[in-house]
Amino acid sequence: MLYYLAAAFWLALASVPAVTAIVSISSADAHTLGRRWLPSVDKIRGVNLGSLFIVEEWFADDEWASMGCKGYYDEWSCVEGLGQQAADAAFDKHWNRWITKDDISEIAHYGLNTIRVPVGFWIKEDLVYKSEHYPRGGLKYLDRLVGWAADAGLYIIIDLHAAPGSQTGNEEFTGHSVPKPGFFTLKNYERACEFLDWITERIHTNKAYRSVGMLEVMNEPIKHRVNATDSEDMVKNFYPAAWDRIRARESKLHVPKQDLLHIQFMGSNWGSGRAETYLNDTTFIYYDEHSYLTFDTRVNQTKDGYIEGACTLYNGESNAVVGEFSLSVAHAVQSNVEFGIKNNPSNAAWYKKYFSAQVSVYEKRGGGWVFWSWKCNWIGGFNDWRWCYKYAVEAGAIPRNASEASSESPC
Ligand SMILES: *[C@@H]1O[C@H](CO)[C@@H](O)[C@H](O)[C@H]1NC(C)=O
Ligand SMILES: *[C@@H]1O[C@H](CO)[C@@H](O)[C@H](O)[C@H]1NC(C)=O
Ligand SMILES: *[C@@H]1O[C@H](CO)[C@@H](O)[C@H](O)[C@H]1NC(C)=O
Ligand SMILES: *[C@@H]1O[C@H](CO)[C@@H](O)[C@H](O)[C@H]1NC(C)=O
């Protein structure tokens, strides 16, 4: 019974004219497709909506300043500095303008089929302690965003990008940069599980969330080589608990099998261990690999070296998506004549090859790719499109139609 309801739902969705990305799916297919439709019918081709719910100054410099946050390193310190009320007002304006409905249309128009939405646990406000400092009021903008994306036919990955206590050290993407990350306690695991339980219910019961097919339980946690005690504890005590909470909620809601979420973990290349080690069940598990050649010391830092690296180094699992990558190259060479883009716009043609090489490999070896990030402003004094898809397309460094990029690969 539920099976047919779900199928009818997808058929109804497919008949909405605005849904361009899935009109090619036949109605026969639609019967067998649920929430996880995308990785089974096409490659994931997407962008991250970075700096929306967790602002990182390094790629949103102007935006951060206009929020009144200049001089503060992360959201916590800005909220603490401005005071809760003033900060909530500043963040409200930010959420309203950073990603608009036009951005979502443009994303779909460029042949992309996916958005990955990084969120901090504090979007569920009752999880936040009085002693903690995070902005309030983001949830209605998440609801609005996923609704727009569903209307545009986009598939959605929701990513718990920032954990209670912070899951890694000295990073603004955790919302609270701390030298000693404090996520690795049963109390904070429980807060993260409460978030996952709640968002799972929202995904399955709120129509705006109908295109969310994947839920990532934790972005970029501490690496084993940084603190083996913490990373092993997380794999043993948080990952299985997170899995169980999501599935238990789905079971309570009688979600049919084809609509169970893909539950996503960082792949083992990340360096926090093997996520599945203590899982009782791995049905519909999915992995996330972050492939930043800019930080990869194996790459020879020449144009040919980067193409070679893009074509040969990636080794993720077949059920992994590269959830983050960029067009950047090593800091030491990114502004020289060979790689600079500010004074050498003709380098855009090479970057287009570099992009095509990367995505062809991520599509061939795995489930596809999600670029970091859609939008940025003022990195090092200019819009460095090596980190922003929107401007890279305008500069001619990414093809206008994302689904054609891999066929232009030099690999
Ligand atoms: C690693 O984590 C453990 C447990 O949280 C902590 O006691 C220890 O100080 C940490 N080690 C380092 C080097 O930070
Ligand atoms: C895994 O399954 C066993 C046996 O059913 C059970 O005792 C255990 O609690 C389960 N572990 C988790 C993390 O769910
Ligand atoms: C870097 O260059 C050396 C020498 O040409 C070559 O042997 C090696 O495979 C290259 N490494 C990569 C990752 O391309
Ligand atoms: C993008 O390319 C694909 C594959 O060639 C094609 O099917 C699709 O129609 C193109 N989309 C647009 C908007 O041109």
Side-chain angles (χ1 to χ4, degrees), residues 166-169 173-174 179-184 189 218-235 239 266 270-273:
S166 300
Q167 74 273 28
T168 192
F173 74 71
T174 62
K180 234 174 138 59
F183 173 56
F184 308 92
Y189 295 163
M218 186 53 58
N219 173 70
E220 298 196 353
I222 201 163
K223 296 191 183 207
H224 195 264
R225 65 173 160 76
V226 177
N227 191 321
T229 312
D230 283 345
S231 73
E232 283 171 16
D233 191 74
M234 179 193 68
V235 171
Y239 281 172
M266 294 303 296
W270 173 252
S272 299

Side-chain angles (χ1 to χ4, degrees), residues 88-281:
D88 291 349
F91 277 84
D92 187 79
K93 289 197 181 110
H94 162 70
W95 293 319
N96 200 30
R97 73 183 165 222
W98 182 250
I99 299 293
T100 64
K101 198 173 179 196
D102 285 347
D103 285 300
I104 297 300
S105 308
E106 201 173 15
I107 288 167
H109 182 72
Y110 285 157
L112 294 161
N113 56 24
T114 299
I115 55 170
R116 177 172 179 257
V117 187
V119 297
F121 79 96
W122 55 89
I123 206 161
K124 181 171 179 357
E125 290 165 18
D126 62 2
L127 292 175
V128 177
Y129 299 150
K130 284 204 164 59
S131 56
E132 294 178 327
H133 307 284
Y134 297 105
R136 291 181 193 158
L139 183 59
K140 69 171 194 266
Y141 293 102
L142 178 62
D143 293 347
R144 185 176 78 169
L145 174 80
V146 295
W148 287 339
D151 290 345
L154 298 174
Y155 184 80
I156 302 167
I157 301 168
I158 290 187
D159 148 38
L160 179 51
H161 202 75
S166 300
Q167 74 273 28
T168 192
N170 306 309
E171 289 283 4
E172 56 190 329
F173 74 71
T174 62
H176 186 206
S177 172
V178 287
K180 234 174 138 59
F183 173 56
F184 308 92
T185 64
L186 289 177
K187 233 174 154 179
N188 280 333
Y189 295 163
E190 174 56 24
R191 283 206 285 170
C193 285
E194 278 178 43
F195 168 87
L196 294 167
D197 184 349
W198 165 82
I199 198 78
T200 299
E201 174 158 34
R202 203 168 187 85
I203 288 167
H204 287 296
T205 58
N206 183 325
K207 197 161 168 274
Y209 288 71
R210 63 194 181 277
S211 272
V212 179
M214 201 176 290
L215 176 57
E216 179 164 21
V217 306
M218 186 53 58
N219 173 70
E220 298 196 353
I222 201 163
K223 296 191 183 207
H224 195 264
R225 65 173 160 76
V226 177
N227 191 321
T229 312
D230 283 345
S231 73
E232 283 171 16
D233 191 74
M234 179 193 68
V235 171
K236 189 167 185 180
N237 293 310
F238 173 61
Y239 281 172
W243 181 282
D244 287 353
R245 283 291 268 280
I246 294 167
R247 290 293 183 242
R249 175 57 58 191
E250 291 180 318
S251 170
K252 272 187 204 133
L253 293 170
H254 305 290
V255 173
K257 190 169 182 190
Q258 83 272 14
D259 284 339
L260 298 178
L261 293 169
H262 263 133
I263 302 180
Q264 193 186 37
F265 300 85
M266 294 303 296
S268 38
N269 286 331
W270 173 252
S272 299
R274 297 179 66 81
E276 67 277 28
T277 309
Y278 299 99
L279 297 183
N280 276 345
D281 173 29

Side-chain angles (χ1 to χ4, degrees), residues 1-17 19 22 25-27 29-37 146-147 149-156 202-213 255-256 258-261:
M1 177 65 125
L2 281 165
Y3 175 86
Y4 290 107
L5 282 177
F9 168 68
W10 278 106
L11 285 170
L13 184 62
S15 69
V16 174
V19 180
I22 57 167
I25 297 169
S26 73
S27 41
D29 289 336
H31 279 282
T32 58
L33 297 174
R35 284 191 177 265
R36 300 178 314 280
W37 57 275
V146 295
D151 290 345
L154 298 174
Y155 184 80
I156 302 167
R202 203 168 187 85
I203 288 167
H204 287 296
T205 58
N206 183 325
K207 197 161 168 274
Y209 288 71
R210 63 194 181 277
S211 272
V212 179
V255 173
Q258 83 272 14
D259 284 339
L260 298 178
L261 293 169

